[in-house]
Amino acid sequence: MKKHNFNAGPSILPQFTLEKTAEAVIELGSTGLSVMSISHRSKEFTAIIQEAKSLVKELMDIPDGYGILFLGGGASLQFAMVPYNLLNRKAAYLNTGSWASKAIKEAGLFGEVVVVASSKDKNFNYIPTGYVIPQDADYFHITTNNTIYGTEMKSDPDSQVPLVADMSSDIFSRPVDISKYGLIYAGAQKNLGPAGVTLVIVREDILGRFERPIPSMLNYKIHVENESLYNTPPVLPIYSSLQTLIWLKNQGGLSAIQRVNEKKARLLYEEIERNRLFKCTVENPGDRSIMNVCFVMNEEYQELENSFLEFASSRGMAGIKGHRSVGGFRASLYNALPEESVLALIEAMNDFEKSN
Ligand SMILES: *Cc1c(COP(=O)(O)O)cnc(C)c1O
């Protein structure tokens, strides 16, 4: 049976990406060689990384002056690389979940960290507002989508100091105003490609503002100067990510995919609210993620949790068990997840309600 893939990450990728990648693993075009077995400095691979960069630029409407990098180490390495390169004395962070907390911990190794607000008091089930960003901070770090808790910042905040964002789980899900950001990073494995590559978009003028010896591989400036080819980049994940970018352009780009994403999320949230068995963990509708929908059994039906998981699994749902720090269920509705899968989940929830 074909599964409906609600995994949080690594997660669903377009069929187009899987097929094109599978072909290129065997033979890239008519080169007679696998994409994994050619030089990363060959004209074939140069064309691949250039096209990937120009599609990122086009889809996200990135002005000149930004470097686009494909790095290794996952989003978690960015938790350290950001402060290594940008934290001279003090940095401001918004604490909206486990990933944000990890980023804060790493920044503490490099200087003073001011947590401007935190939603930890309510198990991160809302996005704090009304905080003040210190004007003397070197940058302000946010996590736009909190994959584990299902909250999302739906608009790009204003910041007088360079804005840095972990967009691992909502990059390419909607248009963003790039000019507001100094640096954006995203591990590929949620909405772009296979694990192993991390996309970094950095405004070049925020780099090199103070003196600190930085190991070459952790130095954004070196990667920008070498056009993301300082060393051997993750060639296969980059090739795969390029296929997703091509697919995304064919879907009509970010505004078009945003409409699809918002519809999928609205349908599922409506069902959770309608269905007497379930409730959302994020109370404020404005804070609810369109990528990761978190819900639990209503108190009086708590004991049905496992039987719903089994029932959903018998209907072909994969990956809907919630993260252990929230419990219940999480349906990740990344770009590549078709509306048909959301409708199948809703039908399963409906049928389960009828029989209980
Ligand atoms: C998954 C995730 C990460 C961690 O990514 P790795 O590539 O595994 O290091 C960081 N931040 C967010 C928001 C995530 O969803």
Side-chain angles (χ1 to χ4, degrees):
M1 175 175 40
K2 189 174 178 296
K3 294 280 175 70
H4 298 288
N5 187 353
F6 294 96
N7 274 309
S11 40
I12 188 165
L13 289 170
Q15 192 63 25
F16 176 82
T17 300
L18 301 182
E19 283 169 10
K20 290 287 181 181
T21 305
E23 279 170 24
V25 165
I26 305 298
E27 183 183 356
L28 177 67
S30 51
T31 57
L33 297 168
S34 166
V35 67
M36 298 191 294
S37 312
I38 57 170
S39 166
H40 60 293
R41 307 207 184 270
S42 62
K43 71 174 187 336
E44 288 83 5
F45 189 75
T46 309
I48 289 165
I49 197 163
Q50 285 307 339
E51 189 183 356
K53 271 190 209 166
S54 66
L55 276 173
V56 169
K57 199 164 184 226
E58 177 184 339
L59 288 164
M60 291 188 76
D61 200 13
I62 301 175
D64 288 339
Y66 284 81
I68 298 169
L69 309 174
F70 296 95
L71 306 180
S76 299
L77 184 60
Q78 297 306 310
F79 297 163
M81 220 166 136
V82 163
Y84 216 143
N85 286 261
L86 303 178
L87 203 176
N88 185 21
R89 291 186 43 245
K90 184 201 277 190
Y93 278 71
L94 186 62
N95 190 4
T96 51
S98 313
W99 297 120
S101 304
K102 287 187 170 157
I104 290 166
K105 181 170 170 249
E106 300 294 269
L109 299 172
F110 298 91
E112 184 189 345
V113 178
V114 179
V115 178
V116 297
S118 166
S119 48
K120 195 168 182 199
D121 56 333
K122 291 176 120 188
N123 200 29
F124 299 115
N125 74 352
Y126 68 101
I127 301 282
T129 53
Y131 48 81
V132 177
I133 306 161
Q135 295 304 293
D136 58 346
D138 295 318
Y139 61 87
F140 174 46
H141 181 284
I142 59 172
T143 310
T144 50
N145 185 67
N146 299 283
T147 326
I148 294 176
Y149 304 91
T151 61
E152 185 173 15
M153 300 174 82
K154 307 276 175 56
S155 58
D156 309 300
D158 294 312
S159 170
Q160 304 294 326
V161 303
L163 184 60
V164 174
D166 176 358
M167 291 196 185
S168 292
S169 52
D170 65 349
I171 192 147
F172 299 121
S173 67
R174 61 182 162 94
V176 294
D177 180 355
I178 287 285
S179 67
K180 287 191 162 184
Y181 293 88
L183 190 148
I184 291 170
Y185 61 91
Q189 70 273 21
K190 313 285 166 51
N191 223 357
L192 181 59
V197 65
T198 302
L199 175 65
V200 174
I201 301 162
V202 57
R203 211 175 70 216
E204 290 168 33
D205 71 0
I206 68 169
L207 301 176
R209 285 190 179 175
F210 59 91
E211 288 296 323
R212 170 185 286 142
I214 304 173
S216 307
M217 276 298 286
L218 302 180
N219 191 335
Y220 292 123
K221 229 174 154 41
I222 296 222
H223 289 291
V224 170
E225 282 162 8
N226 289 277
E227 308 216 0
S228 210
L229 287 164
Y230 174 70
N231 72 326
T232 317
V235 290
L236 189 62
I238 292 172
Y239 182 82
S240 254
S241 298
L242 167 60
Q243 305 314 310
T244 306
L245 294 166
I246 293 170
W247 173 86
L248 193 51
K249 187 176 171 179
N250 290 338
Q251 304 302 300
L254 299 192
S255 300
I257 205 79
Q258 178 183 34
R259 282 191 292 278
V260 176
N261 288 334
E262 284 180 345
K263 180 172 181 213
K264 289 185 298 187
R266 178 174 51 78
L267 291 171
L268 184 53
Y269 282 119
E270 277 171 6
E271 170 61 15
I272 299 166
E273 301 218 307
R274 186 211 59 75
N275 194 309
R276 81 190 139 80
L277 303 182
F278 303 100
K279 68 169 185 204
C280 291
T281 55
V282 179
E283 284 151 30
N284 178 5
D287 290 346
R288 288 177 185 164
S289 170
I290 59 166
M291 293 280 98
N292 310 97
V293 177
C294 293
F295 56 108
V296 290
M297 297 308 312
N298 259 319
E299 265 96 77
E300 58 269 48
Y301 300 107
Q302 249 355 306
E303 78 285 0
L304 292 176
E305 184 171 312
N306 282 332
S307 45
F308 178 67
L309 278 174
E310 277 165 32
F311 179 75
S313 148
S314 76
R315 294 285 189 93
M317 310 297 147
I320 65 158
K321 191 173 167 49
H323 190 275
R324 63 188 180 282
S325 45
V326 179
F329 317 102
R330 170 175 54 177
S332 297
L333 316 181
Y334 296 123
N335 287 350
L337 183 89
E339 183 180 318
E340 163 206 334
S341 291
V342 177
L343 296 176
L345 175 59
I346 290 172
E347 193 183 331
M349 291 164 75
N350 226 299
D351 291 348
F352 191 73
E353 180 188 32
K354 289 196 188 101
S355 55
N356 285 281

